[in-house]
Amino acid sequence: MAIHMGKPTAAVRGPGQEEPPDTGARGAGDRHRLTAPQGLAALSLDAMASVAYGPESIVLVLAAAGAYGMGFTLPVTLAITALLAVLVASYRQVIAAFPDGGGSYAVAKKHLGRRTSLMAAASLILDYVLNVAVSVTVGVAALTSAFPGLHGERVWICLAVLVLVTAVNLRGVVDSAKAFLAPTALFVGAVLAMIAVGLFRDGPVSTASAAGHPSALGEGATTVGVLLLLKAFAAGCSALTGVEAVANAVPSFRAPAARRAQRTEVALGVLLAVMLIGLSVLIGRFHLQPVEGVTVLAQLADASFGHNAAFYVVQFATMVLLALAANTSFAGLPVLMGLLARDNHLPHVFALKADRQVHRHGVIWLALVSAVLLVLSGGDTNTLVPLFAIGVFVGFTICQVGMVLHWRGERPRRWRGRAVLNGFGALLTGVAAVVVTATKFTEGAWLIVLALPLIVLGFGRVHRAYAEIGERLELGRVPQPPHRARSLVVVPVSGLSKLTCRALTAARSLGDEVLAVTVTHPAPEDRETAEALRRDWELWNPGVELTELSSDTRSLGRPLSGYVRELARTHPDAQVTVLIPETEPARLWQRMLQNQRGSVVAHAVRRDTDAVICRLRFRITDDAR
């Protein structure tokens, strides 16, 4: 197979230039791309699911300062929401400027250099992979909390959920969006209804879910330090994971892709902001205290709806959405890996698309790596959560810094205000990245600090390998004119049959000289077979001489590859081709009965020589005579 090192050609748009208007004509694969509502379902599950643990992360940090510290829940949430607005505005501009997708990787590649772009890509890859593992384990943890008898089977349940999400995504991003649209709508509707009902309550309707559970609230604190607020801010920023997914997967949208992606980004930001602020208001309104063993979202549902069917609807919707939030990674990471493959930083196979616009190899790779993480962690959420969200903050910061340089270089109208906005966002996400890494370093964050540079080194190694291949192939240069060379075709045979006749016929049409070769063994029983073949060959007289190669070790591949090497040495100007005849039965189970001699010969010749290998398949159909 030829190795393609070049870039596909495409119409060039300037940074920030709008796409041409949609004329109504769609490409052949457009029905396998996303509309804005479908994009919200396919790419927002990670961000939506973070509503279930983002506010709780803030509360658990501030609880160390007692009831006084809990009073800062809303201010911290408003700061996070302000950062969310900055990120949404920034990624909306990223979508317009880089409509081919890639997000922070594309921005850094253009404005911050190759190494920084690879660091952004590595951080996104880590975040996407960990998002799959964390989402699945958290969703299954909610299930095993409701049904404790399943706790011992949580690893198998996690793997079953992973197989389900993978299978849906292998059918295409549109099919995954359609499948997950209902769970997304159910969760968003349930949370918004809970907020609306809770705002009209003077106090909690029920506290049954928290009854009997020890409080996690600290005592005696009357002041809240800046470090605690920073830690709460950084912890709550876990609610922002997934905001970048839309910008990474712009090519997955229908034309005009950039406009649809921008609308999806804004809708995601608005919904996420409303839910975060609404939940924080309810936390203060109900004077909620974190307790062990019960989530903050469960307590809020209990306080708003009461301990009834609506409460369980919220829990069920949360459980399903958390388990399916892995879909964001399956929608975004394969597109990013495709871009990296086009830039020769990953194997080119990741750039290939199936018939439904699916980066199938990226989907399968993500599923396999996530499965390994699930097995190694034993399906334990606490093992994976400390590693989560660090990578996305690194990507956020790189993207914001790159956009500052973008505005300075392009200088459109009001570019200074946009640059200040992105610079402020870079400062906030940079602080969050440092604080999260420092506070969770001993809990496993050191693995991320170690993994990031190792992944970047891996990108560099792949790129150098492709550069070396390109140099050997003289890519980018005009090759010498092709010329005709003398052709020698070697045909391995083991007996006389219709297959042998077809092989020699094909060989004569391919080459100037045909050489039939058979491998013999000195054992008495094998000597009789060799003599019978020699006698039958002389009687048949196909006009091709039969050469016998003796092998004391009953090896088949090595004598043939040695013969081919000797031919290449004695005929340096000739092109040597090895034509391997093989039968291919109609039924799969019959193919398992074959002796695989052709595969053995092909492997040996490919390993030890530069000869061309041609495998002639003789198909045996049911109606063959």
Side-chain angles (χ1 to χ4, degrees):
M1 179 180 294
I3 299 177
H4 177 65
M5 304 290 293
K7 306 287 194 299
T9 58
V12 179
R13 281 189 300 270
Q17 184 176 341
E18 295 290 344
E19 290 184 305
D22 189 4
T23 61
R26 295 180 179 178
D30 213 32
R31 63 190 178 92
H32 296 303
R33 299 182 188 273
L34 297 169
T35 62
Q38 290 172 344
L40 197 61
L43 301 170
S44 71
L45 291 179
D46 180 16
M48 295 297 181
S50 64
V51 170
Y53 50 80
E56 183 163 5
S57 299
I58 299 172
V59 167
L60 289 176
V61 172
L62 293 177
Y68 182 76
M70 293 292 296
F72 286 87
T73 301
L74 183 57
V76 171
T77 302
L78 290 175
I80 293 172
T81 306
L83 177 56
L84 171 63
V86 173
L87 290 174
V88 168
S90 176
Y91 277 108
R92 190 175 181 276
Q93 297 299 327
V94 170
I95 291 168
F98 300 91
D100 291 331
S104 57
Y105 167 69
V107 175
K109 178 185 172 183
K110 180 175 181 181
H111 297 292
L112 297 174
R114 186 175 66 90
R115 289 188 178 276
T116 306
S117 69
L118 294 180
M119 181 64 72
S123 67
L124 287 172
I125 288 176
L126 285 174
D127 180 63
Y128 276 136
V129 172
L130 287 169
N131 171 59
V132 173
V134 169
S135 298
V136 172
T137 54
V138 171
V140 172
L143 176 65
T144 56
S145 297
F147 302 98
L150 298 176
H151 185 75
E153 306 298 328
R154 64 186 185 276
V155 174
W156 291 109
I157 298 174
C158 286
L159 293 176
V161 173
L162 179 62
V163 168
L164 171 65
V165 177
T166 303
V168 173
N169 277 276
L170 285 175
R171 288 188 55 82
V173 66
V174 171
D175 282 353
S176 71
K178 292 177 179 177
F180 301 143
L181 187 58
T184 304
L186 177 62
F187 177 79
V188 173
V191 172
L192 293 179
M194 180 180 68
I195 294 172
V197 172
L199 291 176
F200 289 96
R201 302 289 190 189
D202 294 329
V205 176
S206 170
T207 58
S209 61
H213 294 268
S215 173
L217 200 64
E219 297 180 358
T222 58
T223 59
V224 175
V226 174
L227 184 59
L228 184 66
L229 291 176
L230 284 176
K231 187 175 180 180
F233 174 81
C237 279
S238 61
L240 303 181
T241 57
V243 173
E244 78 290 350
V246 177
N248 290 334
V250 178
S252 298
F253 286 85
R254 292 181 185 177
R259 293 180 186 175
R260 292 184 189 274
Q262 285 178 322
R263 288 197 290 267
T264 303
E265 186 75 54
V266 172
L268 171 60
V270 170
L271 282 174
L272 192 55
V274 169
M275 288 191 289
L276 288 175
I277 295 174
L279 293 177
S280 296
V281 170
L282 292 188
I283 290 172
R285 189 179 187 84
F286 296 142
H287 304 289
L288 183 142
Q289 296 184 6
V291 297
E292 297 179 7
V294 181
T295 65
V296 169
L297 197 62
Q299 292 187 64
L300 291 177
D302 202 11
S304 294
F305 293 130
H307 210 72
N308 50 29
F311 168 81
Y312 287 103
V313 168
V314 174
Q315 295 305 104
F316 174 76
T318 303
M319 177 192 72
V320 172
L321 195 76
L322 282 168
L324 299 181
N327 192 69
T328 297
S329 295
F330 281 98
L333 180 57
V335 176
L336 174 63
M337 295 178 72
L339 292 176
L340 287 166
R342 284 170 49 189
D343 292 337
N344 297 331
H345 296 302
L346 281 180
H348 288 171
V349 68
F350 289 112
L352 301 179
K353 285 185 179 182
D355 54 354
R356 291 174 175 262
Q357 298 297 318
V358 181
H359 289 86
R360 188 162 292 169
H361 294 89
V363 170
I364 293 174
W365 179 88
L366 176 58
L368 292 176
V369 175
S370 301
V372 171
L373 281 178
L374 289 172
V375 172
L376 292 179
S377 67
D380 181 25
T381 303
N382 294 328
T383 304
L384 297 169
V385 168
L387 309 179
F388 189 46
I390 296 176
V392 75
F393 289 140
V394 174
F396 282 162
T397 305
I398 291 174
C399 184
Q400 299 282 338
V401 173
M403 288 306 293
V404 171
L405 298 180
H406 173 77
W407 297 129
R408 287 186 60 187
E410 297 297 323
R411 295 180 180 270
R413 293 178 57 189
R414 297 188 293 275
W415 69 271
R416 288 186 177 85
R418 298 177 182 180
V420 169
L421 186 66
N422 290 131
F424 181 65
L427 176 63
L428 292 180
T429 54
V431 169
V434 172
V435 173
V436 172
T437 304
T439 55
K440 296 182 178 181
F441 189 81
T442 57
E443 300 176 31
W446 62 271
L447 286 171
I448 303 299
V449 176
L450 180 64
L452 278 174
L454 289 179
I455 294 176
V456 173
L457 289 175
F459 289 154
R461 184 67 188 90
V462 172
H463 192 273
R464 287 194 297 274
Y466 276 126
E468 292 172 2
I469 294 172
E471 183 65 26
R472 293 293 300 272
L473 295 178
E474 297 184 356
L475 294 178
R477 308 176 193 172
V478 178
Q480 296 180 355
H483 62 280
R484 176 178 172 80
R486 183 189 177 201
S487 179
L488 303 177
V489 183
V490 178
V491 182
V493 297
S494 58
L496 294 187
S497 66
K498 187 175 182 179
L499 178 63
T500 309
C501 178
R502 286 202 174 185
L504 293 181
T505 300
R508 282 188 158 182
S509 66
L510 289 175
D512 300 313
E513 182 178 350
V514 178
L515 306 170
V517 179
T518 186
V519 178
T520 61
H521 309 290
E525 63 273 18
D526 296 319
R527 191 179 306 117
E528 293 179 4
T529 302
E531 291 174 354
L533 175 61
R534 188 184 311 112
R535 183 174 58 254
D536 292 343
W537 192 274
E538 291 175 353
L539 290 173
W540 182 36
N541 191 21
V544 177
E545 182 181 353
L546 178 65
T547 301
E548 297 183 13
L549 305 175
S550 180
S551 173
D552 296 334
T553 61
R554 290 184 176 274
S555 172
L556 181 65
R558 289 187 182 278
L560 281 169
S561 63
Y563 178 76
V564 172
R565 284 200 307 272
E566 182 63 20
L567 276 179
R569 187 185 66 81
T570 56
H571 302 79
D573 297 329
Q575 173 64 62
V576 180
T577 300
V578 180
L579 188 147
I580 305 171
E582 298 174 292
T583 57
E584 185 175 289
R587 303 185 184 279
L588 179 61
W589 69 270
Q590 292 173 334
R591 298 176 193 177
M592 299 173 63
L593 304 178
Q594 303 298 106
N595 56 25
Q596 307 302 321
R597 290 168 60 94
S599 298
V600 172
V601 172
H603 174 73
V605 173
R606 182 182 296 109
R607 179 192 60 202
D608 300 333
T609 75
D610 293 328
V612 175
I613 299 174
C614 178
R615 303 179 74 166
L616 175 68
R617 301 293 176 91
F618 180 62
R619 300 184 186 275
I620 303 176
T621 58
D622 291 336
D623 59 351
R625 294 291 183 268

